[in-house]
């Protein structure tokens, strides 16, 4: 009886510790100006991303209750919430790391395995950005444009709807561009192509290159 109670207490402690939290940014909200204003950054981070975190935690609590009661129907019904809020949390966590102010090296792609792959497959960073911008502009409604490492070990550009993750189609996410209106509307209104063009000025290519190297190494195992 005591051992069972202790195990239950430990499980409860682990459940509390497993709660998802809003990650801190590596830079102040005004660090990406004038490309992205501090107003958008603060709203995007503290309101939109925070909502996904809260929604994910709530969905996981519902899933846990459904599993404990062996309610299969409820478990299945919760999956769209997990996909949406979980994807929103994961995608935004990548997005913040993918960005850095121009004065801190934003937009600068230095010699690396990633640069070599971009030059080989796309003909350079400018051609990649143009292609990715066109893909992002073609998203109907809300979604994301991604530079990924596909299952063949090649760079790829894909889009995902809503908050779907690149990983959900078997791709390793390297660079994500948020094409939801909340990411740009206060600054760019309905001219979203200007947002897509300007965001490349604050891309943290060191982070993208790190993700590429890790993805290649993982696939080689």
């Amino acid at each position: 009886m005591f051992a069972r109670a202790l195990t239950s207490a430990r499980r409860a402690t682990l459940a509390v510790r497993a709660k998802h939290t809003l990650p801190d940014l590596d830079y102040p909200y005004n660090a990406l100006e004038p490309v992205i204003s501090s107003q958008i950054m603060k709203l995007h981070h503290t309101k939109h991303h925070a909502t996904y975190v809260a929604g994910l935690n709530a969905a996981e609590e519902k899933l846990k209750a459904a599993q404990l009661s062996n309610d299969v129907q409820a478990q299945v019904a919760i999956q769209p919430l997990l996909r949406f809020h979980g994807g929103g949390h994961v995608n935004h966590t990548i997005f913040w790391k993918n960005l850095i102010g121009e004065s801190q090296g934003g937009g600068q792609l230095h010699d690396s395995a990633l640069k070599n792959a971009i030059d080989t497959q796309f003909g350079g960073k400018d051609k990649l950005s143009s292609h990715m911008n066109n893909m992002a502009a073609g998203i109907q409604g809300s979604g994301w444009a991604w530079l990924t490492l596909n299952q063949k070990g090649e760079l790829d550009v894909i889009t995902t709807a809503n908050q779907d993750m690149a990983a959900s189609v078997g791709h390793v996410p390297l660079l994500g561009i948020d094409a939801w209106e909340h990411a740009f509307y206060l600054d760019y209104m309905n001219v979203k192509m200007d947002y897509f063009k300007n965001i490349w000025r604050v891309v943290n290519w060191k982070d993208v290159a790190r993700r590429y190297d890790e993805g290649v190494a993982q696939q080689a195992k």
Side-chain angles (χ1 to χ4, degrees):
M1 178 82 71
F2 176 75
R4 244 181 289 164
L6 184 60
T7 300
S8 298
R10 284 174 178 169
R11 285 177 180 168
T13 301
L14 287 173
V16 171
R17 289 179 180 173
K19 287 284 187 181
H20 304 283
T21 59
L22 182 68
D24 293 332
L25 300 185
D26 295 332
Y27 39 79
Y29 289 124
N30 65 354
L32 306 181
E33 291 183 338
V35 175
I36 304 176
S37 69
S38 59
Q39 182 183 22
I40 278 190
M41 286 298 296
K42 188 172 184 179
L43 285 170
H44 200 170
H45 181 243
T46 65
K47 300 301 182 182
H48 293 281
H49 190 173
T51 297
Y52 297 125
V53 172
L56 177 57
N57 285 327
E60 288 187 341
E61 285 296 322
K62 291 179 180 178
L63 178 62
K64 181 180 173 183
Q67 290 171 333
L68 288 173
S69 63
N70 200 29
D71 188 339
V72 177
Q73 184 173 336
Q75 291 176 48
V76 173
I78 292 164
Q79 295 308 309
L81 284 175
L82 289 170
R83 178 174 179 171
F84 181 74
H85 291 292
H89 178 40
V90 170
N91 292 344
H92 283 86
T93 299
I94 295 170
F95 184 60
W96 307 133
K97 294 289 187 181
N98 278 169
L99 302 177
I100 195 170
E102 289 181 274
S103 64
Q104 301 300 311
Q108 298 177 26
L109 175 60
H110 299 293
D111 289 340
S112 59
L114 173 65
K115 184 179 185 301
N116 292 338
I118 289 174
D119 289 344
T120 299
Q121 292 187 230
F122 297 97
K125 183 180 70 172
D126 291 343
K127 289 184 178 180
L128 165 64
S129 62
S130 178
H131 175 52
M132 198 161 165
N133 289 348
N134 288 333
M135 292 282 286
I139 294 172
Q140 295 183 348
S142 301
W144 291 76
W146 297 98
L147 173 66
T148 68
L149 183 67
N150 65 26
Q151 294 173 327
K152 297 178 181 178
E154 301 170 341
L155 292 178
D156 210 344
V157 174
I158 65 170
T159 60
T160 57
N162 299 313
Q163 292 297 349
D164 288 356
M165 301 181 297
S168 68
V169 291
H171 288 233
V172 177
L174 307 177
L175 170 64
I177 296 180
D178 190 346
W180 282 64
E181 282 193 348
H182 65 236
F184 64 85
Y185 200 82
L186 290 178
D187 288 342
Y188 295 93
M189 303 299 284
N190 64 321
V191 192
K192 63 181 177 181
M193 186 55 83
D194 284 352
Y195 159 68
F196 295 145
K197 290 177 180 177
N198 285 335
I199 200 169
W200 295 91
R201 293 163 52 188
V202 291
V203 168
N204 183 354
W205 284 108
K206 287 184 178 179
D207 180 69
V208 182
R210 176 187 62 77
R211 295 175 189 276
Y212 175 76
D213 291 342
E214 291 176 355
V216 170
Q218 186 64 35
Q219 288 185 346
K221 292 182 178 179

